[in-house]
Amino acid sequence: MARQVHVNGRWLPEGEASVSVFDRGFLMADGVYEVTSVLDGRLVDFAGHMARLRRSLAALSMDLPLDDAALLALHREAVARNALSEGMVYLQVTRGAPPERDFAWPDPPVPPTLVLFTQAKPGLARGPERGIGVISIPDLRWARRDIKTVQLLYPSWGKMIARGRGADDAWMVEDGLVTEGTSNNAWIVAGGRLVTRPPSEAILSGITRAAVLRLVAEAGLSLEERPFTLAEAQAADEAFVTSATTFVLPVVRIDDRPVGGGSPGPVAARLRALYVEEARRSAV
Ligand code: PDD
């Protein structure tokens, strides 16, 4: 059966779902999104993702006339209609489709465009057998990376540069410091401490990152929230990334230098197990 996609209040088979060519998401990347993972047919960190969606919308003065209960119902319907057990729900909101292309925001505003679809990812909880290799690239994104906008050209390009160099992903570097991965937050374990960059406009404040920080505190592990250099990461005992689509994923190579002997380390493995357990327990 065709995947069922939600567009502005209607559920449609994916081949029939469409938005206007005047949609500002299409013309100007004037839209925001969230990716919420699904385990056992339930939504992981749902409240966190919706709170960040509200922050992204507010930052861009965008309106979405649906409360969290309505958004939860839509997410659950997406999961149910598509019999999704493991994978993710993608939600996108744009500033809508005014009658003309114009740089100025439509005044009066037009209704936002809301789209939800699912993607199955069997084996999401089990995770990959091996860690990933990353390369470093300059961070050429705009300066408001705390807003989860759909302008993903550079992250997408970055992943292709990585692939072209035989790696799985790229870590972006600015002023000599790692900002984050193209679609994940970056962490290292050095001198018995976890290190990850604090939230600011320079990175997306990851919902998985926040959950892992809670687990780090509960497990009594030591933590430093500060930026780190690439050299520090290459010399670290472990490195890993966090995101809704990868949970906790070890990084075993950075720019052709093996990290921690080139195999996944115990801290990342432990945090991954704790995260998956907590995600299953608290999913809604
Ligand atoms: N990306 N940093 C960036 C730039 C991201 O795009 C993401 C998520 C994260 C991690 O955030 P979270 O833990 O809330 O998923 C950090 C999603 C998964 C994506 O674009 O598919």
Side-chain angles (χ1 to χ4, degrees):
M1 204 184 81
R3 181 163 44 168
Q4 297 286 301
V5 171
H6 179 92
V7 186
N8 292 334
R10 297 171 68 202
W11 290 94
L12 298 158
E14 61 182 8
E16 290 168 34
S18 62
V19 297
S20 163
V21 295
F22 295 103
D23 195 279
R24 290 182 58 91
F26 175 64
L27 293 178
M28 311 229 167
D30 192 357
V32 300
Y33 75 108
E34 280 297 329
V35 174
T36 305
S37 57
V38 172
L39 284 180
D40 312 322
R42 293 188 303 146
L43 299 150
V44 175
D45 280 331
F46 181 77
H49 285 285
M50 292 308 105
R52 187 174 61 192
L53 174 67
R54 303 284 172 200
R55 292 201 299 276
S56 296
L57 289 166
L60 296 173
S61 307
M62 229 182 259
D63 195 33
L64 178 66
L66 288 175
D67 62 16
D68 280 9
L71 290 173
L72 178 58
L74 282 177
H75 277 74
R76 284 182 165 157
E77 190 164 355
V79 169
R81 280 179 181 264
N82 295 288
L84 183 65
S85 171
E86 275 193 0
M88 58 96 155
V89 179
Y90 176 92
L91 169 150
Q92 180 170 330
V93 184
T94 79
R95 205 182 300 278
E100 303 288 345
R101 176 180 182 269
D102 190 344
F103 281 79
W105 295 351
D107 183 19
V110 297
T113 300
L114 172 67
V115 168
L116 278 90
F117 61 80
T118 55
Q119 260 175 225
K121 200 174 174 191
L124 173 64
R126 195 176 61 246
E129 309 269 291
R130 54 176 203 98
I132 60 165
V134 302
I135 56 159
S136 61
I137 57 173
D139 197 333
L140 301 183
R141 296 173 300 165
W142 80 328
R144 287 303 305 275
R145 304 158 194 155
D146 55 317
I147 310 172
K148 197 165 171 60
T149 74
V150 296
Q151 22 167 350
L152 296 177
L153 183 55
Y154 190 65
S156 157
W157 189 9
K159 282 197 201 278
M160 294 314 293
I161 298 169
R163 198 179 284 185
R165 286 172 42 190
D168 303 288
D169 203 353
W171 276 12
M172 294 177 283
V173 177
E174 185 172 62
D175 300 330
L177 300 165
V178 174
T179 51
E180 57 187 332
T182 57
S183 62
N184 42 58
N185 290 116
W187 300 65
I188 58 171
V189 184
R193 289 196 168 160
L194 284 137
V195 184
T196 194
R197 193 172 174 125
S200 70
E201 292 182 356
I203 64 167
L204 184 75
S205 184
I207 303 305
T208 318
R209 176 190 177 280
V212 170
L213 279 180
R214 290 193 294 274
L215 297 170
V216 164
E218 277 168 32
L221 302 172
S222 26
L223 168 84
E224 272 179 67
E225 269 190 279
R226 61 162 176 84
F228 54 85
T229 65
L230 204 64
E232 224 183 320
Q234 288 174 319
D237 300 314
E238 292 184 41
F240 61 89
V241 293
T242 56
S243 79
T245 46
T246 60
F247 300 158
V248 177
L249 178 63
V251 170
V252 295
R253 183 166 282 275
I254 303 175
D255 279 343
D256 295 332
R257 290 265 304 269
V259 179
S263 11
V267 177
R270 180 172 175 206
L271 288 173
R272 182 179 178 93
L274 288 172
Y275 179 80
V276 172
E277 190 185 309
E278 172 61 17
R280 281 195 198 283
R281 198 192 56 73
S282 60
V284 296

